[in-house]
Amino acid sequence: MNPPQSDVVSVELHPIDEEKELGHFACMTINRPDKLNALNSEVMASIKAVCAWMEEQDSVRVLVVTGAPPNPPPEGKRAKPHAFVAGADITEFIGADVDSIRKRFTDNAVEAIWNLTKPTIAMVDGFALGGGCEIACSCDIRVSSDRSTYGTPEINLGLIPGYGATQRLERLVGYGKAHEMVMTGDMVPAEEAHRIGLTNHVVSPGELEATVFAMARRIGSKSSHTLAVGKRTVRAALDVGLSEGIGVELDEFSQIFASEDQEIGVRAFVNRETAEWKHR
Ligand code: COA
């Protein structure tokens, strides 16, 4: 049950409802605040380990992904800014070539988050740039503090996004805005991110954790079986056309009537009781 921990990625488990023993949600924190939580190889390997562990834990129902806050600055130095993740660690690109980059970006940690069958929420407080924006886009839901900034500044490095933003960002903000972000590299402040559909909610920094954790608890109190079916069915809309997607929904919706939780949920409603999910 103990989650994998490393110097750069920590995981805390939080009960979903202590009294009813409904399981936990996990909060994974990327912890390199002096480098604005930039994604080096160690961080990426640690995230993959956490995702593999998550998938095996029946009682861990939701993943929250966040970045560590800045450390107090040494005397006389300015404080580092708040960051979710300020991108791939640029220093690791020095000397890289086509083959090494292809290897490194194949089956990467962002795909591991994307491929989780459980609900994921990005809790964004500060810069979500490059790979940080891409981690946020690989989560199912994004909630941001009002001091957050999204962006894909790779163009300023002579690069394009490599952790999925050319595809997943477009699905969230649309073709024109995705082009604008990738072509200009301009920062998108939280309120604008909210307006264009890049973040679901914007709250004050002081409200962020309580808002996200309450949402994780709310989602985690549902049937994890039904959540997984809902996730893959909504996900199908990204890959298939509308008619085919309606067919996928028909298959999934019909099939869910073979699940115990469907019967439990419907009976509980009719009998005015609280559903006690079996998660199957
Ligand atoms: N990779 C490696 N190190 C990074 C980094 C990244 N993506 N982003 C920030 N850092 C490091 C800085 O080098 C600096 O390290 P140092 O204090 O040891 O010199 C530290 O994090 C703080 O960043 P700094 O640039 O001093 O903060 P700032 O407040 O002046 O600027 C940003 C903040 C986010 C605007 C700036 O750090 C930035 O542009 N980062 C790169 C963003 C990017 O291009 N991401 C896409 C990468 S593909």
Side-chain angles (χ1 to χ4, degrees), residues 179-229:
H179 264 317
E180 185 181 327
M181 286 179 69
V182 172
M183 287 175 173
T184 64
D186 285 351
M187 306 262 190
V188 175
E191 286 299 345
E192 187 186 351
H194 185 223
R195 194 169 48 74
I196 64 177
L198 185 45
T199 185
N200 298 47
H201 301 280
V202 178
V203 297
S204 70
E207 293 169 311
L208 183 64
E209 188 174 283
T211 305
V212 171
F213 283 12
M215 186 186 275
R217 288 198 167 92
R218 217 157 56 249
I219 294 172
S221 70
K222 319 288 182 194
S223 158
S224 51
H225 173 75
T226 315
L227 287 168
V229 176

Side-chain angles (χ1 to χ4, degrees), residues 253-264:
F253 183 72
S254 313
Q255 195 55 40
I256 216 159
F257 280 75
S259 73
E260 282 186 49
D261 282 345
Q262 165 282 136
E263 205 173 331
I264 288 167

Side-chain angles (χ1 to χ4, degrees), residues 34-36 38 78 80-81 86-91 93 127 129-131 153-154 157 159 187:
D34 288 346
K35 298 293 178 187
L36 310 192
R78 84 180 163 106
K80 306 256 160 145
D89 189 315
I90 298 166
T91 61
F93 288 151
F127 288 115
L129 303 177
E154 290 88 342
L157 304 168
L159 298 172
M187 306 262 190

Side-chain angles (χ1 to χ4, degrees), residues 235-242 244-246 248:
R235 192 62 79 74
L238 299 177
D239 289 328
V240 303
L242 181 60
E244 197 182 333
I246 295 293
V248 171

